[in-house]
Amino acid sequence: MATFIKPRVPRGMRDILPEQMIRRQYVIDVIRDVFEEFGFEPLQTPAMELSEVLTGKYGPDAEKLIYQAGHTGGKEDISLRYDLSVPLCRVVAMYPQLPKPFKRYQIDPVWRAERPQKGRYRQFFQCDADTVGSDSMLADAENVNLIYQVLSRLGFKQFEIKINDRKLITGIGQFSGVPTAQLGGLYRSIDKLDKIGLDGVTAELRENEIPEDVIKKLLTLLQIEGDSTTVLNEMQEQLGDLEIAREGTAELKELIGYLTTLGVPEECYKVNVAMVRGLEYYTGPIYETVIEEPKIGSITGGGRYDELIGSFSKQSFPATGTSFGIERIIDVMEEFDMFPSTVGKTVTQVLMTFFDDELMKESLKLATQLRQGGIRTEVYFRPTKLSTQMKYADTKGIPYAVILGSDELAAGNAAVRDLASREQENVPLDKVVERIKQLIKTSEGRQHSKQMKVVLVSQE
């Protein structure tokens, strides 16, 4: 008796079936369109990198999650990429002739050996846009604007882009009396504030032997709240004598000034001095987007990393970028039914029915005309009862069917059926392509009208 292997996938990884892929592709297309509107160009890098390229860049906690990818007899120590930023830095160092500023986007999978949970997978896609070769805060403001544009176009109404600066965090630590050698641990502890709360952070700082008076001073500063201008003015007043803190507040004020000019609504972003982002390579402004309902964690993240390219080359370049966590974005959109009705279960727009071998030639000829007209058309492969073919179309969610039987052909027509309304009409053969296009356009117009009504109601 044959032995069968139980079909399954590793924990934290998954198959993405066609209906899910159609939704995923919709989100990716929106993100790609915005990236290209801002002048970012596509780049692809290998799924695997030399381990020495990846290690020493992310911090000890993150590097525990890097997947080793060696094989028996392999002569190179290689790993699956952890993110898309470090491979970008390796590319810039290898190809110094790239014009600067170099603006690239990359949409590809990355791998992390994390504990699987809702919205967190071991293989997932990142959608990154980065600018290399500019130290202007306008490049950072553009990242925040990218986030706002993408999430708005995807239909998100309530989100907050948290903004901070690693220089300001360092200044807070120095002002509070945290020893320089312990600043790295400080970042990691503060980064857990949302997860473990003030009491948890306090306990962790005590474990790191930071004195009580320092902890009290530190947490007082981290709890300063208000609009962005209020927070930055308070930080400037409290930390004004520290050069690194002055640099951080100046960078954030310049960044926010650009956001105002770019028309990014103030209610969509906020300076949050307790937001750290755990990766150690950040050097300036950092940003992270959270959605409170459902509470699924951050859906975008990024920041400035002016020194990372220098780990691959004697000549370094300033760099900044942002990344979209597409898995979490899709999870939220599915939970709240945010996908347009035009993003259906299938990419097929028309099923071309097939009655008998004698009509096969005419059916295939008409299917070819539909495809040449830009209409995505599937042909039913074998002649069978019309009810069977319609059931197949219904199961797949195909919106229209073209029926070409002997009666229709004798009259020079084809029957066009709307499978949602069950309405059917006879259309001259030379007008079928045009009629299907009209039906598709009308359907899309109704969907757009519904979306506009929703937007108007939400604005009221």
Side-chain angles (χ1 to χ4, degrees), residues 353 355 386-387 390 399-405 407-408 413-427 435-436 439:
T353 60
F355 276 94
L386 183 61
S387 60
M390 293 301 98
Y400 304 104
V402 173
I403 302 165
L404 187 59
D407 292 343
E408 287 84 5
N413 294 327
V416 175
R417 181 179 295 187
D418 184 324
L419 294 172
S421 67
R422 299 298 174 184
E423 294 178 355
Q424 182 170 309
E425 59 182 307
N426 288 321
V427 179
R435 181 56 183 148
I436 293 289
L439 290 169

Side-chain angles (χ1 to χ4, degrees), residues 445-460:
R446 284 197 297 265
Q447 171 61 26
H448 179 70
S449 178
K450 289 179 183 178
Q451 289 177 323
M452 288 301 295
K453 287 178 182 178
V454 170
V455 170
L456 289 171
V457 169
S458 67
Q459 288 176 342
E460 291 172 2

Side-chain angles (χ1 to χ4, degrees), residues 319-355:
T320 183
T322 189
S323 179
F324 292 82
I326 192 171
E327 318 297 342
R328 288 183 174 181
I329 288 174
I330 291 171
D331 284 348
V332 172
M333 292 181 68
E334 288 181 338
E335 184 164 339
F336 285 85
D337 195 22
M338 292 170 60
F339 286 94
S341 62
T342 49
V343 182
K345 296 168 61 177
T346 179
V347 297
T348 305
Q349 295 169 309
V350 171
L351 177 69
M352 184 71 232
T353 60
F354 185 8
F355 276 94

